[in-house]
């Protein structure tokens, strides 16, 4: 039997399940991007608020492009199990905040109607960096226009993606989609809606057959949407809401509400995400499948520690960065998180511009070493070959995959020219780094070393220096 509303009561008593009525109330949150991360992060925060007795936080979840996931969740009445596992132990939870579901590509009107529904108070987004498109802006704008024309209240629209100043970027994207006839709508958005910046942090790997099997054993039921995550989570959000009373509510569920999100998002992007990208590329090239198997290699562990301590931390405003660094390294090694290096390497061309160049430029400005980032950039170049050091091919899952692989193919015959060509791309490195001869020289040095001796040897040499 499947996990669903009818079988929920049969679950073992040690599994935390929703105790609130999931049928009587309309959802108050529309979430765009119904992937694993949202379901193991914001959905669990909203589940806590619902459990506390506030019925306004049920979710109308929108799968942007994946009807298969929506169909699976519909068949299970929006229920799924989450394994929370770390050094403290393992526990299973079934959050119940997901009440309705649609697919944006095939049910667009239903999504617009959901945004415009009288009960909707929030729209949240995890559509990934590449999802911030004019089509997304138009979808939001259409829903907001219907609210304005219907005389409804404004809403909070909260981006939860890894973009610095994500709230500002999303608002600018929405405003860019307006026409000259939209001045009244723009005034309404500015007066009644809020687009707070936020930072979210939790490692949530893509679901695997191992997790599905473990869920089946723990639940005594089949669950085709189960997930695994860590105990740690963080959500830092700007104190900017359509309803100011939401600040205290969110804080009661463990969310950090602050006027200064920037220092937290900056630390996450450069420390967690920047290290993740470096390890993912190293793992892809060396044939290590998971982040835990990368950080388990002593030289890579030293590399990550030094990358964060020496080249990232000097340019951060987050005061507790050393504790954050140590927590990250422990989290990376969590054996329960089978976090695929190829999953993390997905869309690297969209991620790296925010994760690496700011720290490199900070080091250059202080006339300090950027060797760890140079080595990481060299691994990125090697990654574009699409074949690991054991000769196994892999696909580059990236919007720029074709152009990257065309450039990368030249590294076997003209390695220096290949490095120069990839480092010249301003879409990856900005406008300053491509002109810096010292940066180009050090990336070229490490790339040559990697081609001759392999990634592990290069990492070993750098960390023993």
């Amino acid at each position: 039997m499947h996990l669903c509303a009818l079988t929920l009561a049969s679950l073992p008593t040690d599994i935390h399940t929703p105790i609130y009525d999931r049928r009587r109330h309309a959802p108050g949150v529309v979430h765009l991007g119904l992937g694993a991360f949202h379901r193991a992060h914001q959905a669990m925060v909203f589940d806590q608020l619902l459990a506390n007795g506030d019925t306004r936080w049920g979710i109308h979840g929108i799968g942007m492009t994946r009807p298969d996931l929506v169909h699976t969740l519909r068949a299970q009445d929006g229920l799924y199990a989450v394994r929370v596992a770390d050094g403290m132990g393992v526990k299973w939870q079934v959050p119940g905040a997901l009440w309705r579901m649609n697919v944006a590509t095939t049910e667009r009107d239903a999504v617009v109607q959901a945004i415009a529904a009288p009960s909707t108070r929030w729209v949240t987004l995890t559509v990934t960096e590449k999802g911030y498109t004019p089509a997304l802006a138009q979808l939001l704008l259409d829903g907001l226009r219907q609210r304005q024309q219907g005389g409804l209240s404004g809403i909070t629209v909260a981006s939860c993606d890894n973009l610095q100043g994500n709230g500002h970027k999303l608002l600018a994207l929405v405003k860019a989609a307006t026409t000259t006839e939209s001045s009244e709508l723009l005034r309404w958005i500015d007066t009644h809606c809020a687009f707070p910046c936020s930072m979210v942090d939790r490692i949530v790997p893509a679901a695997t057959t191992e997790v599905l099997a473990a869920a089946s054993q723990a639940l005594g039921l089949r669950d085709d949407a189960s997930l695994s995550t860590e105990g740690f989570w963080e959500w830092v959000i700007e104190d900017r809401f359509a309803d100011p009373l939401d600040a205290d509510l969110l804080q009661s569920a463990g969310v950090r509400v602050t006027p200064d999100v920037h220092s937290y998002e900056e630390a996450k992007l450069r420390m967690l995400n920047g290290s993740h990208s470096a390890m993912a590329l190293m793992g892809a090239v060396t044939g290590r499948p998971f982040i835990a198997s990368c950080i388990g290699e002593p030289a890579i562990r030293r590399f990550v520690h030094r990358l964060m301590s020496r080249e990232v931390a000097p340019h951060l405003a987050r005061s507790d960065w050393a504790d954050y660094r140590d927590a990250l390294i422990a989290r990376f090694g969590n054996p329960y998180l089978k976090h695929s290096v190829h999953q993390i390497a997905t869309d690297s061309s969209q991620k790296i511009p925010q994760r690496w160049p700011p720290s490199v430029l900070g080091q250059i400005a202080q006339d300090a070493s950027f060797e760890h980032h140079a080595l990481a950039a060299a691994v990125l170049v090697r990654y574009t070959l699409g074949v690991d050091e054991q000769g196994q091919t892999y696909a580059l899952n990236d919007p720029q995959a074709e152009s990257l692989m065309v450039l990368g193919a030249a590294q076997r015959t003209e390695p220096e020219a290949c490095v120069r060509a990839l480092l010249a791309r301003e879409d990856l490195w900005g406008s300053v780094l491509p002109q810096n001869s010292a940066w180009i020289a050090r990336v070229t040095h490490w790339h040559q070393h990697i081609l001759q001796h392999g990634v592990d040897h290069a990492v070993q040499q750098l960390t023993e220096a």
Side-chain angles (χ1 to χ4, degrees):
M1 296 179 68
H2 268 91
L3 173 64
C4 65
L6 287 175
T7 58
L8 195 58
S10 70
L11 293 180
T13 55
D14 61 340
I15 295 177
H16 180 80
T17 58
I19 55 174
Y20 44 83
D21 189 339
R22 304 176 67 242
R23 297 164 298 176
R24 206 173 61 176
H25 306 282
V29 179
V30 174
H31 181 79
L32 307 180
L34 196 56
F37 182 82
H38 166 71
R39 289 184 290 124
H41 192 285
Q42 299 95 25
M44 296 180 76
V45 176
F46 297 145
D47 174 73
Q48 181 61 50
L49 290 169
L50 289 163
N52 290 345
D54 192 333
T55 59
R56 300 174 299 167
W57 298 93
I59 302 167
H60 190 142
I62 310 301
M64 301 305 288
T65 58
R66 286 191 56 193
D68 57 328
L69 175 61
V70 169
H71 296 330
T72 296
L73 287 165
R74 277 178 177 161
Q76 297 187 180
D77 299 319
L79 296 170
Y80 55 93
V82 180
R83 180 178 68 185
V84 181
D86 54 24
M88 303 297 290
V90 179
K91 64 179 181 180
W92 286 90
Q93 179 175 347
V94 177
L98 186 57
W99 293 354
R100 296 180 191 168
M101 288 135 279
N102 284 106
V103 183
T105 50
T106 57
E107 301 171 307
R108 187 182 189 278
D109 189 57
V111 179
V112 172
Q113 296 303 321
I115 295 171
S119 64
T120 297
R121 308 175 63 254
W122 276 57
V123 172
T124 52
L125 299 90
T126 51
V127 296
T128 77
E129 294 89 338
K130 66 181 178 182
Y132 286 74
T133 63
L136 172 70
Q138 194 61 55
L139 182 69
L140 289 167
L141 198 60
D142 290 349
L144 291 172
R145 181 180 286 108
Q146 285 202 21
R147 295 190 71 85
Q148 180 245 341
Q149 292 174 346
L152 296 175
S153 61
I155 57 175
T156 297
V157 185
S159 166
C160 299
D161 284 298
N162 288 324
L163 293 165
Q164 282 196 326
N166 49 23
H168 305 312
K169 287 184 170 71
L170 183 58
L171 178 58
L173 189 71
V174 168
K175 287 186 172 183
T178 60
T179 63
T180 52
E181 293 80 35
S182 302
S183 57
E184 188 177 340
L185 174 60
L186 281 173
R187 282 195 297 272
W188 181 84
I189 290 173
D190 284 337
T191 304
H192 298 286
C193 295
F195 286 72
C197 295
S198 77
M199 184 281 285
V200 289
D201 187 358
R202 192 172 215 179
I203 296 173
V204 186
T208 63
T209 53
E210 181 268 330
V211 173
L212 296 178
S216 177
Q217 183 173 9
L219 274 60
L221 297 169
R222 178 173 171 178
D223 176 6
D224 293 331
S226 52
L227 299 168
S228 180
T229 190
E230 59 180 337
F232 179 95
W233 69 273
E234 193 169 37
W235 187 356
V236 182
I237 190 165
E238 185 180 10
D239 192 359
R240 185 190 299 272
F241 306 107
D243 181 352
L245 297 178
D246 287 347
D248 287 341
L249 284 171
L250 290 170
Q251 289 184 117
S252 73
V255 178
R256 187 190 301 255
V257 178
T258 174
D260 175 32
V261 176
H262 179 70
S263 62
Y264 294 92
E265 65 184 4
E266 182 181 62
K268 190 217 172 183
L269 276 168
R270 301 193 203 175
M271 293 183 80
L272 188 157
N273 300 131
S275 298
H276 249 173
S277 286
M279 283 189 288
L281 297 168
M282 289 177 181
V285 173
T286 60
R288 294 183 176 94
F290 305 118
I291 288 297
S293 43
C294 293
I295 202 73
E297 175 62 37
I300 294 179
R301 188 184 182 94
R302 286 196 301 274
F303 173 92
V304 170
H305 189 280
R306 287 168 44 152
L307 173 80
M308 291 193 280
S309 304
R310 300 184 182 186
E311 299 182 18
V312 177
H315 316 290
L316 297 179
R318 182 166 179 165
S319 59
D320 63 344
W321 66 263
D323 292 338
Y324 185 53
R325 173 203 61 203
D326 294 345
L328 285 176
I329 290 175
R331 293 164 63 197
F332 292 152
N334 187 335
Y336 291 97
L337 298 183
K338 306 293 186 185
H339 212 173
S340 163
V341 296
H342 288 288
Q343 179 195 354
I344 297 165
T346 296
D347 301 335
S348 286
S349 69
Q350 311 290 300
K351 298 171 177 175
I352 283 172
Q354 303 170 71
R355 300 180 179 189
W356 294 352
S359 296
V360 178
L361 292 170
Q363 291 293 92
I364 290 171
Q366 294 182 2
D367 196 25
S369 170
F370 47 73
E371 289 295 298
H372 295 78
H373 281 92
L375 175 52
V379 178
L380 171 65
V381 179
R382 170 61 182 80
Y383 170 74
T384 62
L385 267 179
V387 57
D388 68 23
E389 292 175 350
Q390 286 73 47
Q392 298 295 312
T393 60
Y394 51 80
L396 268 66
N397 187 356
D398 193 290
Q400 300 294 325
E402 186 175 350
S403 65
L404 289 172
M405 291 191 75
V406 167
L407 288 173
Q411 63 190 288
R412 291 210 185 277
T413 54
E414 299 179 274
E416 289 191 38
C418 171
V419 171
R420 284 197 300 273
L422 277 167
L423 294 186
R425 290 186 56 151
E426 293 191 6
D427 61 325
L428 284 171
W429 310 106
S431 59
V432 177
L433 278 182
Q435 313 302 322
N436 189 283
S437 57
W439 165 250
I440 295 169
R442 295 316 297 164
V443 177
T444 301
H445 164 81
W446 287 117
H447 180 251
Q448 290 174 339
H449 192 113
I450 288 166
L451 289 183
Q452 292 171 14
H453 306 290
V455 169
D456 283 354
H457 192 276
V459 173
Q460 189 85 28
Q461 185 177 87
L462 174 59
T463 58
E464 289 180 352

